[in-house]
Amino acid sequence: MPPLVKELLFAACTPGLEPFVLGELETLGLIRLIEPESLETPTSEQSDLEESGGIPFSGTLEDIYRANLALRCASRILVRMPSFRAAAFPELRRKAAQLPWEGYFSRGHSAAFRVTCHKSRLYHGEAVAEHVAAAIQDRLGFPIPRTKWNEGATKDGLQLILIRLVHDTCTISVDASGPLLHRRGYRLATAKAPLRETLACGMLFASRWDKTAPLMDPFCGSGTLPIEAALWSRGIAPGHFRRFSFMNWPGFDPQKIQFLLKSLEKHPIGPPPMILASDRDKGAVRVARENAERCGMLDFIRFSERPISAIEAPKDPGWVVSNPPFGIRIGQRNDLRNLYAQLGKTLRAKCPGWKVTLLCLNQEWIRYAGLIFDSGIPVLHGGRRVRIFGTRV
Ligand SMILES: C[S@@+](CC[C@H](N)C(=O)[O-])C[C@H]1O[C@@H](n2cnc3c(N)ncnc32)[C@H](O)[C@@H]1O
């Protein structure tokens, strides 16, 4: 892709995070093409609901780099190639061979395909992938071996291609990100039920934390929320610590990344905010500290091992942003009810005037906190529909 040509791009995200991704794209100055209300709603045929939300926008090659480096809530950046009609395999192969594959592959690279077919004459995903792979070879003159995509073990030179056939219209997208963007590269260890970093940022954005007042997570687990808060408040790009698929594309200039990081990472003047993170589990706090150290944020977060009842809040009101336990097994209902009652009691006693944002399954549990929460923002978390609830103590 020549550097100044504008491409149709798509910032995929967990459904529910779209408004935050949209706000981030606007802050970056990237053009929005379609009103979010008109976005396709996920269909039951979509195998990966986690990637079915998102915001279309347009941008240059440099914008693709910037979006990957800077977006805190997006899960992938896709380059959407022009759609075409394909109702038979020879037509699919011929038309797919007209796409500019030379922008994304070099000799020795391999490809993984994800195919979704919906109400189309071509409905066999494996055969569709085979024909698009053949089309790439037709275009490039050398074979691109096919392999499986494994989020946890991607390798350099492996390019993910997403193919979507709906009513015989084929849309092919080239993934610019590689491993999902919540994989920032610093969280090598996790505690129980970790949050995705992208959802943690969605919660921080939903809370409207001002990045100067104190922020507290009394159920910090592996530290995702406080670490993302620290990175955001220090102006560190979420993509600072990792590699991306676009780094394998022909003509990629590594110096460009250093230049872009310099322009994106405006370190704030003034004292850093007080970020407090605690958990009653010793192992979780150790893991959280290690993760924070890996991305240089340990000095910005005060970690401690303590139960919710023993938190100590600074006098100046701030924000509690947290992900208390809510997954229950039979026999745990009373424990969880007591935990939320304790949370409410502690917040009323120690955090008067603080704003509170919690991720929870539904109103049932947070009601036991005895605080009146808003109706919440629905999001997907680990395949479950949960909500980001907010209130003020
Ligand atoms: C859902 S996890 C938080 C996960 C975290 N957001 C992350 O990304 O890793 C809930 C955490 O609450 C902690 N926890 C449970 N009961 C607690 C209590 N009474 N006081 C403090 N922490 C508690 C658990 O140890 C667990 O780490």
Side-chain angles (χ1 to χ4, degrees):
M1 189 199 310
L4 291 175
V5 173
K6 287 219 171 186
E7 295 291 327
L8 187 56
L9 306 172
F10 189 74
C13 67
T14 297
L17 295 184
E18 293 90 344
F20 305 118
V21 174
L22 178 62
E24 292 194 276
L25 285 169
E26 282 174 347
T27 305
L28 282 176
L30 296 174
I31 298 157
R32 169 157 60 111
L33 286 182
I34 304 172
E35 291 302 318
E37 295 77 30
S38 67
L39 293 176
E40 293 168 46
T41 46
T43 63
S44 55
E45 284 82 359
Q46 278 170 315
S47 54
D48 193 348
L49 246 189
E50 294 284 321
E51 287 177 60
S52 58
I55 301 288
F57 64 109
S58 69
T60 61
L61 191 53
E62 188 174 303
D63 294 331
I64 296 174
Y65 298 174
R66 285 203 303 147
N68 273 290
L69 288 168
L71 292 179
R72 294 181 192 276
C73 293
S75 48
R76 280 191 194 292
I77 304 302
L78 301 170
V79 181
R80 281 205 165 154
M81 309 232 248
S83 297
F84 54 86
R85 215 188 120 70
F89 284 118
E91 188 185 15
L92 173 69
R93 180 165 173 172
R94 182 170 44 78
K95 290 184 177 171
Q98 288 165 19
L99 299 173
W101 296 108
E102 56 282 359
Y104 309 106
F105 287 103
S106 300
R107 218 177 262 277
H109 285 178
S110 49
F113 294 89
R114 268 198 202 161
V115 185
T116 320
C117 302
H118 181 57
K119 294 191 175 154
S120 295
R121 260 167 277 188
L122 301 180
Y123 58 85
H124 191 286
E126 180 55 28
V128 167
E130 204 173 285
H131 282 80
V132 174
I136 298 174
Q137 179 169 353
D138 293 346
R139 172 86 180 190
L140 299 179
F142 51 84
I144 295 292
R146 282 180 59 192
T147 174
K148 279 210 157 63
W149 184 256
N150 176 350
E151 272 304 327
T154 52
K155 57 180 175 48
D156 269 2
L158 171 60
Q159 177 62 58
L160 177 64
I161 304 291
L162 288 90
I163 307 170
R164 202 161 138 71
L165 268 150
V166 180
H167 295 292
D168 297 332
T169 297
C170 180
T171 307
I172 302 184
S173 302
V174 179
D175 165 49
S177 302
L180 287 168
L181 293 176
H182 76 269
R183 294 176 180 266
R184 312 284 205 224
Y186 68 76
R187 198 174 71 177
L188 300 185
T190 57
K192 269 182 236 159
L195 269 185
R196 282 191 173 186
E197 290 74 354
T198 42
L199 177 52
C201 285
M203 289 175 64
L204 291 166
F205 291 170
S207 78
R208 299 173 184 265
W209 179 47
D210 63 4
K211 295 193 273 176
T212 58
L215 182 124
M216 178 161 46
D217 178 3
F219 301 96
C220 74
S222 49
T224 319
L225 271 158
I227 294 171
E228 288 298 315
L231 289 167
W232 183 34
S233 68
R234 301 319 296 153
I236 314 264
H240 186 112
F241 306 98
R242 57 166 280 166
R243 283 186 57 79
F244 302 94
S245 262
F246 66 72
M247 292 176 167
N248 301 319
W249 294 351
F252 168 69
D253 174 7
Q255 283 186 344
K256 195 86 197 158
I257 296 300
Q258 293 318 313
F259 170 79
L260 284 173
L261 279 176
K262 257 194 190 149
S263 72
L264 286 168
E265 298 189 324
K266 303 259 186 306
H267 298 296
I269 318 157
M274 187 189 290
I275 300 177
L276 300 155
S278 53
D279 197 289
R280 72 168 180 195
D281 187 285
K282 190 178 181 176
V285 177
R286 180 181 42 78
V287 159
R289 275 181 199 279
E290 287 167 5
N291 288 333
E293 186 157 31
R294 230 171 264 122
C295 58
M297 291 297 110
L298 191 52
D299 289 346
F300 298 103
I301 306 169
R302 296 188 197 176
F303 286 105
S304 61
E305 179 200 331
R306 61 182 75 206
I308 177 69
S309 53
I311 57 165
E312 284 169 14
K315 273 209 186 82
D316 290 342
W319 271 257
V320 170
V321 184
S322 197
N323 163 215
F326 56 74
I328 48 159
R329 288 188 292 270
I330 294 165
Q332 283 187 323
R333 292 189 79 84
N334 281 344
D335 292 351
L336 214 52
R337 197 176 300 160
N338 293 340
L339 177 70
Y340 279 85
Q342 180 63 257
L343 168 63
K345 189 174 154 199
T346 307
L347 292 179
R348 281 193 299 279
K350 301 188 180 178
C351 302
W354 283 55
K355 292 175 182 139
V356 181
T357 299
L358 299 179
L359 188 76
C360 199
L361 202 51
N362 52 39
Q363 292 272 10
E364 181 184 350
W365 299 113
I366 54 167
R367 211 174 285 139
Y368 291 113
L371 298 165
I372 297 171
F373 283 86
D374 60 21
S375 54
I377 302 169
V379 282
L380 273 189
H381 168 49
R384 296 169 95 175
R385 287 176 202 283
V386 298
R387 279 175 187 265
I388 302 171
F389 293 101
T391 191
R392 185 191 271 265
V393 186

